[in-house]
Amino acid sequence: MRKKIVAGNWKLNNTLEEGLKLASEITNMVTDELRDEVTVVLGTPYIHLSAVGKLTENVEKLHVAAQDCSTHESGAYTGEISVSMIQSTGASYVIIGHSERREYHNETNEQLATKVELALKADLTPIFCCGESLNIRESGKHERFVSAQITESLFHLTEEQMSKVVIAYEPIWAIGTGVTASSDQAQEMHKALRAHIASKFGNTIADEASILYGGSCKPTNANELFSQPDIDGGLIGGASLKSRDFMDIINSF
Ligand code: PGA
């Protein structure tokens, strides 16, 4: 069965103390309230990984993610964090190719292909982000554009590797803008991406792939988005910084 996943992406927010407070509120809520078969992931800054990992280690449905990783395994790369470092903190997921990394750090599909491969080698589950800008959406080429992101970063994987990748479709025009893709727009893209994955890896892997939606997902719209047949959860930015909102999104299934 396809996994339902709600992942928070804290981005550049929260000191260590603030992050631990938020994580402990979420841990308590997940323990008390989680009704459904949902996997919850907290995408924290690197400095929180270890401490949040310890705090959540006994909650089976709760996992920790890094927000990026290096394209290198080790060596003279000042400031970089490798997949094995992430893995050693107890984190089990890593967000790869977020549009903010692509835009502000010029990350290319080719570099992201390397990151995905390194993550899988270190037993981390990649949450691979893709999505188009408003210009591309308005030109009508959005499906082709996002499919190409997937082709260039994921189509070199084996079937076994691909079966471990989580996809997050995040239209850039919906991230942090308060404008959400309509459930029809999101479903249309998720369906197209699943078909694109099937064209390379076959129906079984495509049917089992969790494809998350991201971009201004909130407690008020999560249920409608998550009810779509090809939307398997969300990657949540702003609303993951408030424990009550995040928990309400998790409980929207
Ligand atoms: P948002 O961010 O929920 O604040 O729009 C989503 C994301 O960037 O992952």
Side-chain angles (χ1 to χ4, degrees):
M1 218 187 58
R2 216 183 280 165
K3 232 185 193 176
K4 297 175 185 173
I5 302 171
V6 176
N9 176 9
W10 293 1
K11 307 190 181 184
L12 184 60
N13 293 295
N14 290 325
T15 61
L16 184 55
E17 197 184 346
E18 288 161 351
L20 278 171
K21 181 171 175 285
L22 176 60
S24 87
E25 286 167 13
I26 294 167
T27 304
N28 292 337
M29 286 178 179
V30 166
T31 308
D32 295 345
E33 299 177 27
L34 188 63
R35 298 188 291 260
D36 211 335
E37 282 297 302
V38 184
T39 298
V40 180
V41 182
L42 302 179
T44 79
Y46 292 127
I47 62 138
H48 299 72
L49 291 176
S50 201
V52 173
K54 285 221 168 59
L55 194 78
T56 58
E57 71 188 344
N58 295 322
V59 188
E60 202 200 326
K61 291 282 168 213
L62 206 43
H63 302 267
V64 183
Q67 298 173 14
D68 182 36
C69 62
S70 176
T71 50
H72 303 285
E73 287 181 272
S74 64
Y77 301 101
T78 302
E80 296 275 290
I81 304 280
S82 73
V83 286
S84 61
M85 292 174 188
I86 293 168
Q87 209 261 352
S88 72
T89 66
S92 50
Y93 284 74
V94 57
I95 299 169
I96 291 177
H98 190 280
S99 62
E100 288 149 17
R101 300 288 321 169
R102 293 175 185 264
E103 185 180 348
Y104 307 135
H105 302 272
N106 302 316
E107 294 192 358
T108 63
N109 289 336
E110 199 185 351
Q111 286 171 318
L112 301 178
T114 304
K115 291 189 182 193
V116 169
E117 223 174 303
L118 288 174
L120 289 167
K121 212 165 120 188
D123 261 334
L124 296 171
T125 301
I127 301 179
F128 177 77
C129 302
C130 52
E132 81 286 358
S133 64
L134 189 58
N135 272 349
I136 295 172
R137 162 88 31 187
E138 285 173 345
S139 73
K141 296 189 179 126
H142 45 289
E143 261 182 44
R144 210 179 319 157
F145 179 84
V146 180
S147 296
Q149 290 181 320
I150 289 187
T151 304
E152 289 172 31
S153 296
L154 302 180
F155 273 20
H156 67 297
L157 299 176
T158 64
E159 287 181 12
E160 204 209 325
Q161 286 176 314
M162 186 62 193
S163 68
K164 296 178 181 150
V165 176
V166 173
I167 312 263
Y169 167 61
E170 301 203 299
I172 297 169
W173 45 273
I175 295 178
T177 56
V179 181
T180 318
S182 70
S183 52
D184 286 348
Q185 283 173 319
Q187 165 57 23
E188 186 184 42
M189 182 63 96
H190 283 228
K191 190 175 170 200
L193 295 182
R194 202 179 296 288
H196 186 56
I197 294 166
S199 73
K200 168 73 180 172
F201 296 101
N203 284 333
T204 310
I205 286 175
D207 285 344
E208 301 262 303
S210 296
I211 308 182
L212 317 182
Y213 168 80
S216 300
C217 189
K218 309 181 266 265
T220 46
N221 57 28
N223 178 264
E224 204 195 326
L225 288 158
F226 297 174
S227 321
Q228 302 302 312
D230 287 292
I231 301 183
D232 309 307
L235 180 56
I236 319 298
S240 74
L241 297 172
K242 293 199 183 108
S243 53
R244 186 67 264 162
D245 284 358
F246 189 55
M247 194 63 214
D248 287 346
I249 292 174
I250 297 165
N251 278 333
S252 294
F253 274 107

